[in-house]
């Protein structure tokens, strides 16, 4: 009973606070995160009122399944952007930008934190510095997608952004696995090529294969049904199935094998939308069904944020260096790679800012990094950065899309009306 009351309070509270956010011209996702902070263990939850808020982090963790399912639907929706026609126009650019901006961000954060180690070795170790550099490459697809959906953003920058965010997760996975393998080797004195190269590449390949198979099977099953409601139910069922399968882990031939939830569900959506002639209408219906789930996802994400880290000056200082260097890396990496691929001035100027949000993927990496000697420092720094990026990132994304002419001025549209750019913006010069 208490869990149901908590979910109800999260959903209603997040939606009510979004009305306040609208008055302040803030994205709804920011309101959901703030609602989570207020309901979390450090605010209303500290009052220990039954069902009202979360009195302990364990209560939030108990509802983690909702977050995993929401991430699955987010990835499935982003996979819908990988349509062949769109990939022919900007696929090469998206791949190039996705890889280069992630590598540039990792390199810049690595340099900044290693220099910090050389100045004061007691602050942070080299292994933690290079691990944080890899975590910095990750971008939160959830916050980005929510801003795009809320304001019905549309245009070259929006299309490229969704592609780059999707590619960024695969690149970030490889960078983190390699960096964490090197960091572990520095601490143990032994290098394992299996953990550095074989396991991350195996995870990516198997995730893409599982997602492709699920997308094809979903299409074949959908063909047996003609009712819109039944097709919607089948789609929801398959996303739940892929989320469940992606949680499987096993060992084969000495290699630890797992799957990336985001890549599996993303590939499911990609294959399905490219082979199914009624996928557009169906994806629209899925989007409408998932709105309450996404609200819960962000409220729970806000409740998970640990405000105790704000009392640690060392974490705040390292976190500040991390945030500044990551932000510079994202912006400079995106700007340079956009210039290299001959993107328009609008895209060069604004894409990097829209890549700043960071959340679930980074937190998952930080959890793994706790195995390092000072892994708690890594986790605390990432928690602090997520707190900042999740509260500020959506607003910056919104402003960048408005500046690029891909969102109409607030108040001119409704949720049923699609935005169009004020002026046509070309992808290429």
């Amino acid at each position: 009973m208490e869990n149901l009351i908590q979910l109800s309070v999260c959903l209603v509270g997040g939606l009510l606070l979004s009305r306040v956010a609208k008055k302040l011209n803030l994205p709804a996702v920011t309101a959901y995160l703030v609602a989570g902070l207020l309901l979390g263990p450090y605010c209303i939850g500290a009052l220990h009122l039954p069902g009202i808020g979360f009195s302990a982090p364990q209560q939030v963790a108990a509802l983690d399944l909702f977050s995993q399912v929401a991430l699955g639907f987010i990835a499935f929706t982003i996979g819908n952007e990988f349509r062949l026609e769109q990939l022919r126009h900007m696929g090469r650019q998206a791949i190039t930008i996705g890889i280069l901006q992630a590598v540039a961000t990792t390199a810049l954060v690595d340099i900044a934190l290693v220099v910090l180690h050389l100045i004061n070795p007691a602050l942070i170790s080299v292994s933690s510095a290079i691990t944080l550099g890899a975590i910095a490459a990750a971008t939160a697809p959830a916050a980005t997608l929510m801003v795009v959906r809320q304001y019905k953003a549309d245009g070259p920058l929006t299309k490229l952004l969704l592609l780059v965010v999707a590619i960024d997760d695969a690149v970030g996975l490889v960078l983190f696995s390699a960096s964490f393998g090197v960091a572990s080797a520095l601490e143990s004195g032994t290098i394992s090529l299996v953990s550095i190269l074989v396991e991350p590449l195996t995870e990516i390949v198997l995730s893409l294969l599982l997602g492709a198979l699920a997308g094809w099977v979903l299409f074949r099953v959908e063909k047996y049904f003609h009712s819109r409601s039944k097709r919607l139910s089948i789609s929801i069922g398959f996303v739940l199935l892929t989320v469940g399968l992606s949680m499987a882990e096993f060992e084969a031939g000495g290699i630890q094998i797992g799957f990336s939830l985001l890549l599996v569900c993303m590939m499911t959506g990609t294959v399905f939308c490219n082979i199914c002639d009624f996928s557009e209408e169906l994806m629209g219906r899925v989007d409408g069904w998932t709105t309450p789930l996404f609200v819960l996802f962000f409220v729970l994400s806000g409740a998970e944020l640990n405000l105790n880290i704000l009392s640690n000056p060392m974490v705040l200082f390292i976190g500040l260096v991390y945030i500044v260097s990551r932000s510079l890396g994202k912006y400079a990496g995106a700007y340079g790679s956009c210039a290299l691929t001959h993107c328009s001035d609008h895209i060069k100027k604004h894409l990097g800012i829209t890549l700043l949000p960071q959340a679930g993927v980074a937190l998952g990496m930080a959890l793994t990094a706790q195995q390092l000697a000072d892994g708690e420092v890594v986790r605390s720094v990432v928690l602090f950065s997520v707190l900042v990026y999740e509260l500020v990132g959506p607003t910056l994304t919104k402003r960048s899309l408005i500046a690029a002419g891909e969102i109409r001025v607030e108040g001119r549209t409704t949720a049923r009306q699609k935005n169009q750019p004020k002026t046509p913006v070309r992808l290429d010069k």
Side-chain angles (χ1 to χ4, degrees), residues 138-418:
T139 299
T144 303
L145 181 64
M146 284 295 284
V147 173
V148 169
R149 284 179 56 175
Q150 179 185 352
Y151 297 104
K152 308 298 177 186
D154 190 26
L157 174 59
T158 302
K159 290 181 171 63
L160 182 62
L161 169 62
L162 292 175
L163 293 177
V164 171
V165 166
I167 294 167
D168 186 85
D169 288 316
V171 178
L173 176 62
V174 174
L175 289 173
F176 175 75
S177 298
S179 296
F180 182 67
V182 172
S184 300
L186 289 174
E187 292 191 349
S188 65
T190 58
I191 297 177
S192 172
L193 289 178
V194 171
S195 61
I196 294 176
L197 291 176
V198 177
E199 287 184 354
L201 292 177
T202 301
E203 179 174 336
I204 290 174
V205 171
L206 290 180
S207 297
L208 294 177
L209 288 175
L210 176 60
L213 177 62
W216 180 80
V217 174
L218 172 59
F219 167 65
R220 301 299 301 179
V221 173
E222 291 278 16
K223 290 182 68 175
Y224 289 104
F225 299 90
H226 303 286
S227 165
R228 292 176 177 177
S229 59
K230 290 179 180 177
R231 283 180 169 175
L232 173 62
S233 300
I234 291 294
S235 299
I236 293 170
F238 260 80
V239 174
L240 295 176
L241 175 64
T242 53
V243 170
L245 292 176
S246 67
M247 294 179 179
E249 292 183 357
F250 56 92
E251 187 176 321
I255 300 174
Q256 192 67 31
I257 296 176
F259 300 93
S260 166
L261 182 152
L262 289 173
L263 289 180
V264 172
C265 295
M266 210 176 294
M267 195 62 179
T268 301
T270 299
V271 171
F272 178 69
C273 76
N274 279 290
I275 63 177
C276 179
D277 54 1
F278 51 83
S279 63
E280 283 279 14
E281 179 189 357
L282 193 55
M283 291 300 290
R285 288 179 167 271
V286 171
D287 287 346
W289 182 87
T290 54
T291 298
L293 186 62
F294 289 172
V295 174
L296 286 174
F297 170 75
F298 284 104
V299 174
L300 292 174
S301 296
E304 280 182 323
L305 296 177
N306 186 353
L307 297 184
N308 284 336
I309 56 174
L310 299 178
S311 63
N312 190 332
M314 183 184 72
V315 169
L316 296 182
F317 177 68
I318 300 173
L320 183 62
V321 174
Y322 173 86
I323 289 171
V324 171
S325 56
R326 179 181 181 269
S327 300
L328 288 173
K330 284 291 181 184
Y331 186 83
Y335 191 96
S337 54
C338 283
L340 185 65
T341 55
H342 308 292
C343 290
S344 69
D345 289 337
H346 278 306
I347 293 178
K348 282 192 294 187
K349 183 178 179 181
H350 299 295
L351 180 63
I353 297 175
T354 62
L355 295 173
L356 291 181
Q358 189 174 46
V361 177
L363 290 174
M365 292 177 177
L367 189 64
T368 302
Q370 281 189 286
Q371 301 172 30
L372 297 173
D374 58 348
E376 193 59 38
V377 174
V378 175
R379 183 173 181 273
S380 297
V381 170
V382 172
L383 281 170
F384 173 59
S385 70
V386 166
L387 176 64
V388 174
Y389 279 126
E390 282 297 86
L391 293 176
V392 177
T395 300
L396 294 177
T397 298
K398 173 195 170 184
R399 291 183 180 277
S400 295
L401 292 174
I402 289 175
E406 301 193 5
I407 292 179
R408 286 186 183 179
V409 178
E410 183 100 24
R412 301 277 183 88
T413 61
T414 70
R416 294 189 179 94
Q417 189 175 17
K418 189 174 182 179

